[in-house]
């Protein structure tokens, strides 16, 4: 209820019938002069079409101030005009309160003016100033961090630091370097040629991969420290990569493959198409889809039409479409040493194909049919593979068969060991 004055009469209601329309000539007698001037300024800065909206906003502002007993405390002369005031006097500066309390009633009205044109202009100027200051600071930092003249003392002179070996031993064990190489322990290029011929002969005669791998790594190290990058370097890395594939050393093969890609990019002669096909098959094994897509995007038309590379692309297509029949036919006809790479993931693809067979054929399939479809040489080899999955064939009237409904859970469970492959291609 309205409060009473000391003489017992009611206080004037700012929203009485006399001041309902907020006519500046009908102000409440209890309003301070600053509030009256605030209302007059508001109406003078408001167009006719926005007058109704202004009256609503003024009622909300003044009611809030009156209810919170702030009507005589607020600095009405410096208070921003309501949002409905759409006529801004030119050249008149906007005065904001120096500091506003978060708990005051004035704060509730300040949010109504947040989107006013004056506030937008102030924010725009502030952002522009901050951006210019940040740009200036960045340019000063760049000048400080990047000297105009580089320090030539910090630049390594590789020509001066490159060594030429003087060692004449054909065989030398590989040791990881922990200091600058000693020329007396490094073999020059003519000796390295003889070393490669010796290693070829030893591999054919003895096939001792531990010895051969150690000698090849030592040979590659001598090439690296002398910065020898020529056709002979390509030959060394290609031969070591093939031997690593033959012995299923994918870690060493991957190192050679990475270096060969760089050597081929330098225009050196070798067998780039052969090793491009190996790289695609290796990515299929490691299930590295990102590198497969990158390789496909950077391949030229001639590379895609090469017979060896096309075979690897066909293997990829068969795996992507789930065409296991075509995949196993391609496995049987793999050129060069592609079959050694496919050997590393052939069992994984056989498990996938076996799941498809279990779903497509019910109730049973003969061992002869499964042996042919999964590209086994003999029924005994197929039976050994199925036994590793805990699947046992049953004897029929004419031949052995597999109950496909019972075999499916075992084929699905076998895929868990192929879930992860590390960067070297080792499954764990």
């Amino acid at each position: 209820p309205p409060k009473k004055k000391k003489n017992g009469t009611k206080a004037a209601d700012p929203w009485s019938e006399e001041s309902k329309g907020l006519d500046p000539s009908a102000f409440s007698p209890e309003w301070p002069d600053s509030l009256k001037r605030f209302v007059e300024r508001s109406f003078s800065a408001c167009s006719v079409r926005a007058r109704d909206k202004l009256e609503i906003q003024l009622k909300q502002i003044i009611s809030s101030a009156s209810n919170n007993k702030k009507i005589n405390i607020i600095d009405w002369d410096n208070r921003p005009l309501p949002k409905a005031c759409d006529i801004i006097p030119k050249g008149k500066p906007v005065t904001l309160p120096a500091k506003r309390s978060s708990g005051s009633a004035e704060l509730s009205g300040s949010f109504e003016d947040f989107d006013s044109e004056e506030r937008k202009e102030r924010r725009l100027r502030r952002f522009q100033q901050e951006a210019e200051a940040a740009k200036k600071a960045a340019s000063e930092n760049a000048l400080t961090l990047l000297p105009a003249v580089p320090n030539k003392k910090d630049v390594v002179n590789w020509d001066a630091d490159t060594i030429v070996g003087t060692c004449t031993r054909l065989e030398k064990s590989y040791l990881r370097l922990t200091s600058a190489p000693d020329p007396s322990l490094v073999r020059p290029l003519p000796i390295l040629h003889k070393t490669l011929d010796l290693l070829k002969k030893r591999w054919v005669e003895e096939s001792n991969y531990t010895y051969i791998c150690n000698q090849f790594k030592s040979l590659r190290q001598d090439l690296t420290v002398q910065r020898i990058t020529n056709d002979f370097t390509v030959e060394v890395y290609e031969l070591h990569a093939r031997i690593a594939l033959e012995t299923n050393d994918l870690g060493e093969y991957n190192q050679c493959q990475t270096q060969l890609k760089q050597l081929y990019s330098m225009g050196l002669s070798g067998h780039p198409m052969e090793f491009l096909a190996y790289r695609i098959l290796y990515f299929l094994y490691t299930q590295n889809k990102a590198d497969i897509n990158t390789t496909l995007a950077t391949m030229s038309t001639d590379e895609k039409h090469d017979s060896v590379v096309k075979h690897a692309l066909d293997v990829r297509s068969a795996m992507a479409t789930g065409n296991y029949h075509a995949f196993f036919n391609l496995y049987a006809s793999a050129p060069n040493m592609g079959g050694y790479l496919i050997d590393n993931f052939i069992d994984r693809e056989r498990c996938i194909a076996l799941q498809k067979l279990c779903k497509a054929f019910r109730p049973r399939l003969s061992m002869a049919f499964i042996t042919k479809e999964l590209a086994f040489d003999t029924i005994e080899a197929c039976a050994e593979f199925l036994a590793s999955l805990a699947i046992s064939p049953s004897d029929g009237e004419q031949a052995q068969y597999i109950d496909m409904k019972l075999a499916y859970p075992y084929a699905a469970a076998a895929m868990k060991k192929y879930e992860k492959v590390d960067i070297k291609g080792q499954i764990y």
Side-chain angles (χ1 to χ4, degrees), residues 12-52:
D13 184 1
W15 307 123
S16 61
E17 293 295 331
E18 292 79 8
S19 58
K20 185 176 181 180
L22 277 180
D23 186 353
S25 63
F27 291 135
S28 173
E30 289 196 352
W31 287 3
D33 292 339
S34 58
L35 174 56
K36 296 176 183 179
R37 291 192 296 271
F38 171 74
V39 175
E40 289 178 348
R41 290 200 317 274
S42 300
F43 276 101
S44 62
C46 178
S47 62
V48 177
R49 62 181 181 179
R51 187 181 181 90
D52 294 338

Side-chain angles (χ1 to χ4, degrees), residues 382-396:
C382 181
E384 183 179 352
F385 168 74
L386 295 176
S388 67
L389 307 182
I391 300 174
S392 301
S394 302
D395 295 326

Side-chain angles (χ1 to χ4, degrees), residues 174-407:
Y174 170 76
L175 294 174
R176 188 180 298 274
L177 291 176
T178 57
S179 60
D182 184 357
S184 63
L185 300 177
V186 178
R187 294 163 293 186
L189 185 58
I191 300 299
L192 294 178
H193 278 280
K194 296 179 180 179
T195 298
L196 181 62
D197 294 336
L198 175 64
L199 295 181
K200 291 178 182 179
K201 183 179 179 181
R202 285 287 185 87
W203 176 247
V204 174
E205 294 177 352
E206 302 176 6
S207 298
N208 185 348
Y209 180 70
T210 302
Y211 164 80
I212 289 294
C213 182
N214 180 275
Q215 292 299 314
F216 262 103
K217 292 178 72 172
S218 177
L219 195 159
R220 286 161 44 190
Q221 185 183 69
D222 288 350
L223 290 172
T224 301
V225 298
Q226 296 179 93
R227 297 178 60 215
I228 299 175
T229 52
N230 52 24
D231 294 345
F232 175 73
T233 308
V234 176
E235 182 183 0
V236 169
Y237 277 95
E238 286 184 345
L239 184 56
H240 193 186
R242 293 190 185 100
I243 295 175
L245 282 178
E246 187 175 351
T247 56
N248 200 32
D249 186 359
L250 293 185
E252 206 63 45
Y253 159 76
N254 192 37
Q255 294 182 26
C256 296
Q257 170 188 254
T258 303
Q259 190 64 27
L260 282 170
K261 182 180 178 182
Q262 182 178 354
L263 293 172
Y264 292 144
S265 66
M266 298 170 62
L268 299 175
S269 62
H271 302 82
M273 296 299 103
E274 176 187 353
F275 281 88
L276 175 58
Y278 294 158
R279 187 158 65 249
I280 294 172
L281 295 176
Y282 179 79
F283 290 152
L284 292 176
Y285 170 54
T286 58
Q287 298 178 322
N288 192 336
K289 296 181 180 179
D291 283 344
I292 290 176
N293 293 334
T294 302
T295 303
L296 293 177
T298 56
M299 288 173 59
S300 65
T301 303
D302 293 338
E303 290 174 334
K304 293 180 180 179
H305 289 162
D306 182 85
S307 59
V308 178
V309 177
K310 188 176 183 304
H311 177 273
L313 293 177
D314 289 341
V315 172
R316 172 200 162 273
S317 178
M319 293 175 60
T321 57
N323 189 347
Y324 63 86
H325 184 81
F327 170 81
F328 289 115
N329 286 337
L330 291 168
Y331 167 62
S333 61
N336 298 325
M337 305 189 71
Y340 287 101
L341 267 171
I342 300 177
D343 281 340
N344 288 278
F345 59 96
I346 188 67
D347 285 346
R348 181 186 69 196
E349 298 306 313
R350 279 170 172 159
C351 288
I352 296 174
L354 185 59
Q355 291 182 64
K356 296 180 183 295
L357 290 172
C358 290
K359 291 180 180 180
F361 295 91
R362 295 291 176 89
R364 63 180 65 177
L365 273 179
S366 67
M367 283 291 294
F369 181 83
I370 297 175
T371 299
K372 181 180 178 181
E373 285 299 310
L374 300 186
F376 284 105
D377 295 331
T378 62
I379 293 180
E380 290 74 17
C382 181
E384 183 179 352
F385 168 74
L386 295 176
S388 67
L389 307 182
I391 300 174
S392 301
S394 302
D395 295 326
E397 296 179 358
Q398 297 180 351
Q400 290 183 321
Y401 67 89
I402 297 293
D403 188 316
M404 307 309 286
K405 183 176 181 180
L406 297 177

Side-chain angles (χ1 to χ4, degrees), residues 129-166:
Q129 292 173 357
E130 293 175 354
E132 292 175 358
K135 185 177 181 180
K136 183 178 179 181
S139 61
E140 292 175 355
N141 292 336
L143 293 175
T144 303
L145 296 175
L146 299 176
V149 179
N151 187 359
K152 294 184 178 181
K153 295 181 180 179
D154 296 333
V155 179
V156 178
N157 187 346
W158 291 108
D159 293 330
D161 294 339
T162 301
I163 67 170
V164 177
T166 59

